[in-house]
Amino acid sequence: MADERPRGLGRGLSALIGGDEGGSRTPAGNRSPRTVPTAFLRPNKFQPRKTFVEEDLSDLIASVKDKGILQPILVRPIAGDANAYEIVAGERRWRAAQAAKLHEVPVTVKELNDGQALEYAIIENVQRSDLNAIEEGIAYQELMDRFSYTQEQLAGAVGKSRPHVANTLRLLKLPESVRILVRDGKLTAGHARALIGDPDAEAKALAIVEGGLNVRQAEQAAVKKKPKKPHSLPVEDPNIKELEQTLASATGLKVQITDDPDKGGEVRIFYKTLEQLDDLVLRLKQKW
C-alpha cells in the first residue's frame, strides 16, 4: 500500500490532480480535463462527508448557475462501463450541477486504487474544512482499518500534525449521542474532548449545550472528584533515584517511583499536554 500512495498529498488538490497553470504535460495515468455529461458521474462510495448542509449547497447552486463549475471534478473510471465515472473529489459541485440542471460538467479523469480514492476524498474535505470532527475521525479510522495506515502516515497524507490526527480519532470513543451533537455543530471538538472517558458524558454534553459553556468551563465541568491518595513513601534508595532519572531522560518527562517491599510499587509519569502523552505512547510502541 505504501508504494501506491500519492506523493506530496499535503500540497493540495492541484498537486493531486496533476494540473498546473503552466500548461505542462499531464502526468502518466491522467487525462486532460474535459467535459462529460452530468449523468455519467456516480457518487464516491468512500465519501467521508455524510452531512451536506442545505444552506451551503444553496449558495453553491447559485454560484454554479451564475458562473458554472470553475474547478474540474476529479473522477476515476468505473471498470466495465465506458460511460460511467466515480467521483473522487467534488461531489458537492456535482450535486450543485444537478440542481442547477447543467447537462455537462468539467472533469479530470485519474486512474486510482481504492486507497488513493479515499485518501483524495479526505484531503479535499479536510483542506476545505468541509468535514465535521466526527466525520474526519471516521475517515481517518477507515484509512487505518482498510488500508493499514499508521497515525504518522495519516498525518503526512492529510497535511495535519500527528497529535491532531490522534485527538480526532479519540473523539470516536464518545457515546453516539455526544457524537451526534458534534456532527450537528452543537458541540465543538474541544468541548467533546473534555468528555472522553467520562461516564456522564451524555448528560454533561447536554448541559454544555444548554448552558452555552466555553471549552474551559466544559473541562471544569468534566472533572470528577477523585478520592485522595495516600502520600507516597519518601524514596531514599539511590537505585530508585537512578531509575527515575533514567526513565525521565528516556521520556523527557518527570518520573516518580514508589516502592514498598511488601506490596510492590508503582511508576508515575507526569505530562502536561496531550502532545506529550501521544509522544510517550509512540515511544512505548516503538519499544514493543
Side-chain angles (χ1 to χ4, degrees), residues 248-260:
S249 177
T251 62
L253 301 172
K254 178 183 175 182
V255 178
Q256 183 181 76
I257 300 176
T258 58
D259 179 62
D260 187 324

Side-chain angles (χ1 to χ4, degrees), residues 1-63:
M1 181 63 209
D3 293 335
E4 295 175 342
R5 293 186 187 120
R7 300 293 187 263
L9 295 179
R11 293 179 296 162
L13 278 185
S14 60
L16 300 180
I17 294 173
D20 60 63
E21 295 178 359
S24 59
R25 289 178 57 187
T26 305
N30 284 7
R31 304 171 197 170
S32 301
R34 67 173 188 269
T35 300
V36 300
T38 306
F40 282 15
L41 273 55
R42 305 287 182 268
N44 183 354
K45 61 174 178 268
F46 294 126
Q47 171 60 260
R49 181 175 182 167
K50 309 303 180 186
T51 305
F52 291 86
V53 181
E54 201 64 39
E55 182 178 349
D56 292 345
L57 203 56
S58 297
D59 293 339
L60 182 57
I61 293 170
S63 174

